[in-house]
Structures are given as C-alpha cells and as structure tokens.
Amino acid sequence: MNSQGQTASLPGFASDVDAPPATPWFPGSRPPMPLTHTAAPATHPPIVTGHSYPKRASLSNPTSAVAGTSYFPYSHHVNIGNLTTSSGPTKRLFDYLNLHITHGAAHDSDERSNAPACHEETRIAIREDIVSWIKQGEGDEEPEKIMWLSGPAGCGKTAIAGSVAETCKEECLLAASFFFSSFSGSAERRSKRGLIATLAYQMSKHEVLHRFKSCLHAAVDRHPDIFSKNLKEQAKCLILDPFKEVQFERENWVHWPKVVIIDGLDEVVAAQNHYAAEWQSSGTSEVDQVEILSTLTAMAYHPAFPFRIFVASRPESNISNFFATEAQGTAMCLFLDSKYKPDADVERFLMSKFAHIRRCVGISSSSWPRQSALDRLVEMSSGQFIVPTTIIRWVEAGVPQVQLDEVLKLAASNTGTKNPFATLDALYRHILQRAHSTDDDPHLVVKWIMCITSAMGSGRRFPPANFWRKFLENVEGELSYRLGPISSLIFVPSPEDTSSLITIYHKSFTDFLSSPTRCGDLYIGDAVHTSFVSERILVVLKSQSFFALIMFCNFIAR
C-alpha cells in the first residue's frame, strides 16, 4: 500500500502489474528493501516460464523475472514493505506421512478383510455399553477419557473392537483406529513406530477437521525429522500442537468424531526386533506396550485433545499393572466375563451358523443338531468365542454330521477337567493329527507350522507362501497336500498365488503350540526346531537353487 492508498503489485500475482523490482534479485537471496511504487515501463522484461519447477533468471539477463507457482518459490513469510507472502509447505501432507503410516492397521483395511467381527445378534450388551460411553461420556462429572476392554484369549476382544469401530464409522464417531497384530503379514502392525503418524493421518482425513489438517501439514513441514522421535514427542508435534491451534473451533466439536480405537496392544513386538536400523532400541515388548499406554493417557487428558480412547488387549501383567497404578481412577475397565452372558451369545452364534450349513448342504432336518448337542457345545465353549468359531470351521471342512459327531466325542472325553482350554486344546490336537505327516516323522507338520509361526513373531515382514514352499517342500505340491486337512486352523494359498501369505486363523493356536502342557506329545522344543531349520538349510544349499539360496540367506540373517 503506497502513500496514496494504492496497492503495489508484483509480477506473478493475480493483481495488476505495475512494475518489476527496482534492482535485480534472485530467489533465495534477500530482496531489496524498501519497495517503492513506480510507473510501469513501456515493455515488460522477458519472462522465463515453467510449469513444473520455477527457474532462476539467466545470469546473462539479470533483469529476468521468475515465473512459476510462486514469485518467492523458496521463501517463507517474506516481508517487502507492507506486503507479506508465504509459499506454505513444499510437499503434500500424504508425501510427508506415507512412509510412516501403517495402512494395514486401519479397522477397514484390506489386510483386515477376513478379521473377526461380531455376529449381528451377539455381544449386543457389551457393544452398547462401549458405544454409549463414546457418545455420552462427556456428561460425566469426572469423565473417564480411556476405556480398557480385556479378557482371556479367544473371548472375542478383537471382534468386538472391530464391530464397534464399524458402528462408529457409520455414525461419524470414529476419529482413527489402529489394530495391532503380532502375526500379521505386515511387520509395521507389530511395531509402535507407525502408531502416531497413522492416527494423525486418519484424523486429518475428516472434512470437519480440515483446520487440524492444515496445522498438521505445517507441523511436519517444520519438523520433517519428527518420525525418529519418541512417541510422546510425536504425539505432541503431530496431534496435540495442531489441535491447540484449532481451540477456537470448540463450538463445532459437536460435529467432530468422538473416539480413537486401539486393539491388540499386547501383540506389540519390541522395536529392536525390526529390520530397519532406525527402529532399533534396547527396550522389550513390555516396555513398548507401556510406552504406548503412557502416550495415549497423556493425549487423552490433555485439554486440547478432543477424543476418547478405547483400548482392547489381553490382561497381560504389565498392562494390568499400568491401569492399576498410573491410570488408576482415570480409566474405565471392562472385563469380558459372565456379566455379559457369553453363553447366550455363543448359542445364538451356533444356531445361526448351523442354519446356514443346513441350507448350503441341503440337510433337511431343522432339528440338526439336537438341542442337547447344542447345549453341550455351549458348555464346552466356556464363553470363549474362538471355540465355537473353530468348531464351525471344522464342521464346514467335511461332512457336517460326521465332523460334528467327532467334536462331541472330544467334549465327552474332557468332562470334568478344570483346564479352561481343555476343549480347545483337544480340538486343536484332533485336527493336527489329521494332517499328512510322514510315518518316519509324525511331527513333521508341527515342525512346519512352528517354522511359520516363529517367522511371524520375528518382527520382520512375514514371507509369502511361496517362500515356505521353497523352504519346506521336498517335492512340488507337498505343502498344500500336508496342510490341506487342517484348513480350519491355517489357510494356505494355492500354488499359483506366489505373493499371498499363509494365515493362522487365531493367536490361541500359536499359544497352544508353544505350551508343552497344552500341546502334550505334539510339542516341539527350541532344540528340535533349531535342528530342523538347520537341516532344511542344508537341503536348500545342496539343491543349488539360486532363488532359494538368496531367500534363505536372508532368512538366516534374521
């Protein structure tokens, strides 16, 4: 603005062009000061145009101006007289975050397309309690900003968390979600490293949080190294500080999402087990889990943080101790026990699934299975949803009536036992014994599975099924043949599918294999496992397979 109230304009801006700079300058150098208004010359100096990147004026023509997306392409907040300009962040927000986002951890990711979910007629009471807390908790005199859902293995925590996340998404309540998994095909889903960046990115995708997105973008532009910091520093920079800057929009909070959902916290693997050097630390899995909880608690009770946080995990000692000490009185704790009548839900689940099997197979009698058999299945489930889920997969894998009779015989043989996993263990053993092991090595399939599950817990990217075919097979097609009869426990892609992963349906199966008490004579100890792996490596080396040799050198290096 000049002394007569007229605005001085510059080439490259949308306003009228009055004059070029009085003295030559180059982008990145200090512009001449002050800028005065002068009459426009008869002709403008030549312009060097560019579409992708702004170009510097040629030294042979120092009066050339710069054209492009900005007249000040490398500068920020430059003051010229009364004119202030800012070219803003130089990269898109997604460009900054993409390498640090764990895309597969979102509740609706393709990686979780086969994840468990609650049957529409089951777990209604617990789901209603959780959603009610999410919606109406702000009315509490002393609101509890964190809810912890826990329970034993196989009780359905992940299914509940996934179903609640889907409900919240449909009702525009879900701010972000992160589902950890210790045996996922993605190593990032076992690590704490991508947690904060993933949550921040998911929050930024909400249209109502567009101001947060702008502030987040500016934050990562100022601090591109933030992803190498600890979790609390990341949370401060990527979530809390941006929300501080939008405090004035509190009146619009009623339209904002309400909750962040975290599942599988107990499945976090220590960062030191990961392959990337920048992820290495001296911590343990338990330390990483407590660090996550500490960060989430600090976020939840920060005055700028607008969401509640829902966490689901097993009641491991370090997690239980955290909620009993550091988070005592500040978190709502729910335990999946008889209060929520799991037996009734298990019966509804079984009735629905058996009705579906009857329709698909063409079983005419609607009385199959008999009520007495159904009651026995409910009793043997002991409130653990993994039991009826595994039973249904087993029944569907053969002639339904025959398969079900075998399960009922197993249940009868375990009558009176005090082991809460007795039925599940008996079912696992029964299915494993159907696998096609060799006569000279009845434990061969168990050794194969232990190789696969040990790689799942290594903290690295899980190798595809094609890797295991090269490593385990003596003859082509052997993997599919030997593991075919146990398809209710483990999924093996077809030989034509070279990139898909072998999938263990539930973590309780790996718990079973790792326990000599539960596994009994099928147990494979560390010494036997190591010896078997060494033998297979020698076989590969003798085969002179270059492809396999490269793969197994990488395997050994882990």
Side-chain angles (χ1 to χ4, degrees):
M1 188 80 70
N2 62 18
S3 59
Q4 285 74 34
Q6 297 173 321
T7 302
S9 301
L10 294 174
F13 288 87
S15 58
D16 295 334
V17 177
D18 290 322
T23 57
W25 67 280
F26 299 96
S29 64
R30 182 175 180 180
M33 297 287 289
L35 181 67
T36 59
H37 180 71
T38 60
T43 58
H44 289 290
I47 302 296
V48 179
T49 59
H51 299 286
S52 300
Y53 301 95
K55 300 180 180 179
R56 292 181 180 271
S58 171
L59 291 177
S60 61
N61 189 0
T63 61
S64 297
V66 176
T69 57
S70 171
Y71 194 76
F72 306 95
Y74 307 106
S75 60
H76 296 267
H77 304 288
V78 175
N79 297 312
I80 302 178
N82 292 327
L83 174 66
T84 300
T85 180
S86 173
S87 60
T90 58
K91 295 168 62 176
R92 295 182 307 160
L93 178 61
F94 184 77
D95 294 333
Y96 280 114
L97 298 179
N98 185 33
L99 293 178
H100 309 283
I101 300 171
T102 307
H103 296 281
H107 86 282
D108 56 356
S109 70
D110 180 66
E111 189 173 317
R112 296 194 70 254
S113 58
N114 294 320
C118 295
H119 186 275
E120 59 184 8
E121 298 178 3
T122 66
R123 317 315 290 261
I124 295 175
I126 182 67
R127 286 189 282 154
E128 287 181 345
D129 282 355
I130 296 169
V131 174
S132 177
W133 170 79
I134 292 170
K135 289 181 176 179
Q136 305 170 10
E138 294 298 335
D140 302 341
E141 292 183 5
E142 295 182 2
E144 295 167 311
K145 300 292 292 293
I146 296 181
M147 175 181 283
W148 177 42
L149 176 68
S150 65
C155 67
K157 298 180 294 297
T158 294
I160 292 172
S163 296
V164 169
E166 187 59 30
T167 297
C168 289
K169 177 185 176 182
E170 293 173 356
E171 300 185 22
C172 300
L173 300 173
L174 183 64
S177 63
F178 199 107
F179 281 66
F180 289 104
S181 176
S182 62
F183 56 101
S184 162
S186 167
E188 292 80 7
R189 284 186 62 194
R190 303 191 284 275
S191 168
K192 67 180 182 179
R193 298 302 304 176
L195 174 63
I196 300 302
T198 302
L199 297 181
Y201 175 67
Q202 292 183 23
M203 293 172 188
S204 73
K205 295 198 297 181
H206 293 273
E207 181 61 31
V208 294
L209 298 179
H210 60 91
R211 282 277 298 127
F212 167 80
K213 180 178 182 179
S214 299
C215 296
L216 171 61
H217 197 173
V220 293
D221 187 61
R222 291 192 302 267
H223 306 287
D225 64 336
I226 186 60
F227 308 103
S228 63
K229 305 297 183 181
N230 62 58
L231 291 189
K232 285 191 176 179
E233 191 63 27
Q234 288 186 42
K236 178 181 182 299
C237 178
L238 301 179
I239 296 179
L240 296 179
D241 286 350
F243 273 119
K244 282 183 184 178
E245 298 187 41
V246 297
Q247 285 289 304
F248 67 90
E249 294 186 357
R250 281 180 180 270
E251 64 273 12
N252 296 323
W253 281 18
V254 66
H255 303 297
W256 287 13
K258 303 293 184 184
V259 69
V260 172
I261 294 179
I262 310 292
D263 177 69
L265 179 65
D266 57 288
E267 299 191 37
V268 172
V269 176
Q272 64 186 15
N273 290 333
H274 290 273
Y275 53 85
E278 64 269 22
W279 288 8
Q280 293 179 359
S281 74
S282 58
T284 65
S285 299
E286 291 75 15
V287 170
D288 282 4
Q289 292 162 15
V290 171
E291 182 187 3
I292 291 172
L293 280 176
S294 180
T295 302
L296 293 175
T297 302
M299 285 170 51
Y301 286 94
H302 192 284
F305 189 73
F307 310 125
R308 291 174 171 264
I309 298 178
F310 172 83
V311 178
S313 76
R314 292 186 186 185
E316 306 295 358
S317 59
N318 59 312
I319 299 175
S320 297
N321 290 339
F322 180 89
F323 282 105
T325 55
E326 296 185 47
Q328 185 178 19
T330 63
M332 179 180 291
C333 300
L334 297 180
F335 191 85
L336 287 173
D337 53 19
S338 58
K339 170 186 174 182
Y340 291 101
K341 302 179 180 179
D343 288 349
D345 283 337
V346 168
E347 183 173 0
R348 293 189 191 97
F349 172 80
L350 288 171
M351 290 177 64
S352 175
K353 291 297 183 180
F354 280 124
H356 175 72
I357 293 173
R358 288 197 301 268
R359 290 193 300 270
C360 292
V361 180
I363 299 176
S364 58
S365 175
S366 60
S367 61
W368 179 85
R370 295 182 178 180
Q371 186 62 44
S372 58
L374 196 62
D375 292 342
R376 186 71 187 108
L377 294 176
V378 172
E379 180 184 355
M380 61 193 282
S381 296
S382 301
Q384 298 167 308
F385 262 79
I386 184 56
V387 176
T389 300
T390 305
I391 289 173
I392 291 299
R393 282 200 299 262
W394 168 252
V395 170
E396 291 177 332
V399 178
Q401 300 94 320
V402 175
Q403 300 286 89
L404 179 59
D405 286 344
E406 292 183 2
V407 171
L408 293 173
K409 291 177 183 178
L410 290 175
S413 65
N414 285 286
T415 301
T417 180
K418 295 182 179 180
N419 176 13
F421 299 103
T423 298
L424 187 61
D425 292 351
L427 187 57
Y428 283 156
R429 288 175 54 82
H430 179 74
I431 296 173
L432 279 173
Q433 289 168 349
R434 295 299 183 92
H436 294 145
S437 290
T438 61
D439 292 338
D440 58 337
D441 188 359
H443 292 88
L444 179 64
V445 167
V446 178
K447 293 175 181 177
W448 282 15
I449 297 173
M450 289 301 296
C451 285
I452 296 168
T453 56
S454 64
M456 288 177 173
S458 68
R460 296 174 177 269
R461 188 172 298 279
F462 186 43
N466 192 44
F467 170 89
W468 297 113
R469 296 184 194 281
K470 298 290 185 181
F471 184 52
L472 298 173
E473 289 183 345
N474 288 320
V475 295
E476 187 175 355
E478 188 178 6
L479 188 74
S480 296
Y481 167 74
R482 298 202 182 282
L483 298 186
I486 61 173
S487 60
S488 56
L489 300 179
I490 182 170
F491 167 75
V492 180
S494 65
E496 294 77 20
D497 187 346
T498 59
S499 59
S500 294
L501 309 176
I502 292 177
T503 302
I504 304 292
Y505 281 121
H506 199 274
K507 190 175 184 295
S508 64
F509 183 46
T510 64
D511 297 339
F512 166 78
L513 291 174
S514 63
S515 170
T517 302
R518 296 176 58 187
C519 204
D521 59 358
L522 292 177
Y523 178 73
I524 299 298
D526 291 341
V528 175
H529 170 67
T530 301
S531 176
F532 176 74
V533 171
S534 300
E535 292 173 2
R536 293 309 307 171
I537 292 173
L538 290 176
V539 170
V540 171
L541 292 175
K542 290 179 181 179
S543 71
Q544 297 181 354
S545 169
F546 179 75
F547 170 76
L549 180 60
I550 295 298
M551 295 181 71
F552 300 130
C553 284
N554 292 333
F555 182 81
I556 296 170
R558 298 175 183 179

